[in-house]
Amino acid sequence: MARLDIFWSFRSPYSWLATGRLCAIARNYAAEIRFRPVRPLAMRESDFFERARPQFLPYLMKDVFREAQRLGIRIAPPRPDPIVMDMASGKVDPAQPKMDRLMALAVAAVEAGKGLDFAHAAGRRIWGGVENWHEGTVLEEAAAEAGLQLSALEAWAKNNSATVARVIEENETEQLRYHWGVPLMVLDEEPFFGQDRLDSLVWRMDQLGLKRR
């Protein structure tokens, strides 16, 4: 069976824009889907935003909202940002409790066979304008939407912290074999980078006869 690896980040707006279509691909194509969450670039390369050209963020924000409008996908800046950083200087805080928690939950959801479902449900709240998505029952509701229990995910992550760290490291190492960005889809060693390459991915899967009858 063909294998599709999906490298995805909770902080990436482009990952969010791709998520619904990735869920449809997982439903409609006969392939082994491996959801592989990675930490945001701000954590993988902590000086990235300090080094970035001044045009980078202004263009990204224009493009993200333009693409969301084109695709008919609701999107709003996360409140709060999952990453703690000074947006003016680009300096990233060494402590990232919100993202550490999301990553642990994502790995636990993958272990339960619902990684992409959890990413979709949590992403809808993070990028859908839900204020204080990290508090109260918001993530509990996201887990339930994905067919999971937040308490079970948290217990598994706590009892398997070494596994969580290993899986994240493996995912990020494998990602870099093909590209540094997300979303990154790899179909049997063939990479497709970006939410604007999903049509190319679907074309290739159709070409290979992977679509379910």
Side-chain angles (χ1 to χ4, degrees):
M1 178 180 286
R3 189 176 87 188
L4 178 65
D5 285 358
I6 299 170
F7 299 92
W8 189 97
S9 165
F10 283 102
R11 203 206 187 196
S12 161
Y14 292 116
S15 285
W16 166 239
L17 293 180
T19 311
R21 286 171 288 164
L22 289 169
C23 289
I25 288 170
R27 288 193 304 268
N28 296 329
Y29 286 84
E32 177 192 358
I33 307 295
R34 298 211 311 175
F35 181 71
R36 307 189 70 173
V38 298
R39 295 173 303 162
L41 196 56
M43 293 177 73
R44 288 181 282 123
E45 297 182 28
S46 60
D47 65 340
F48 175 84
F49 289 97
E50 295 179 76
R51 296 185 283 106
R53 293 178 181 271
Q55 303 92 336
F56 175 75
L57 280 177
Y59 177 81
L60 181 145
M61 296 307 294
K62 286 184 175 67
D63 187 59
V64 162
F65 287 98
R66 177 175 59 213
E67 284 295 280
Q69 185 178 20
R70 182 179 70 84
L71 295 165
I73 298 173
R74 176 175 171 77
I75 192 168
R79 298 181 297 174
D81 189 332
I83 287 289
V84 182
M85 66 177 283
D86 184 326
M87 295 302 294
S89 67
K91 188 171 181 60
V92 177
D93 197 284
Q96 297 293 341
K98 289 187 288 294
M99 186 53 64
D100 288 343
R101 183 188 183 201
L102 284 173
M103 290 300 299
L105 292 174
V107 173
V110 170
E111 177 68 18
K114 298 273 189 175
L116 183 55
D117 295 326
F118 177 74
H120 193 204
R124 191 197 324 276
R125 288 154 174 85
I126 295 168
W127 288 100
V130 176
E131 192 167 358
N132 294 323
W133 55 264
H134 63 308
E135 295 179 346
T137 61
V138 178
L139 290 179
E140 184 178 354
E141 292 163 4
E145 184 179 306
L148 298 163
Q149 285 189 326
L150 184 65
S151 59
L153 295 178
E154 290 176 326
W156 187 92
K158 181 179 180 180
N159 293 330
N160 295 274
S161 58
T163 299
V164 169
R166 175 180 56 78
V167 168
I168 293 170
E169 181 179 4
E170 289 174 352
N171 289 351
E172 293 175 1
T173 299
E174 185 70 9
Q175 176 195 15
L176 283 176
R177 289 184 55 210
Y178 306 97
H179 204 281
W180 60 90
V182 291
L184 173 67
M185 293 66 64
V186 181
L187 179 65
D188 288 341
E189 300 293 322
E190 183 178 4
F192 300 80
F193 165 62
Q195 66 90 19
D196 55 349
R197 287 296 177 268
L198 285 176
D199 287 346
S200 295
L201 171 62
V202 167
W203 169 79
R204 177 66 84 202
M205 296 178 87
D206 286 340
Q207 187 185 52
L208 295 172
L210 301 179
K211 191 164 187 177
R212 294 191 174 113
R213 297 292 183 263

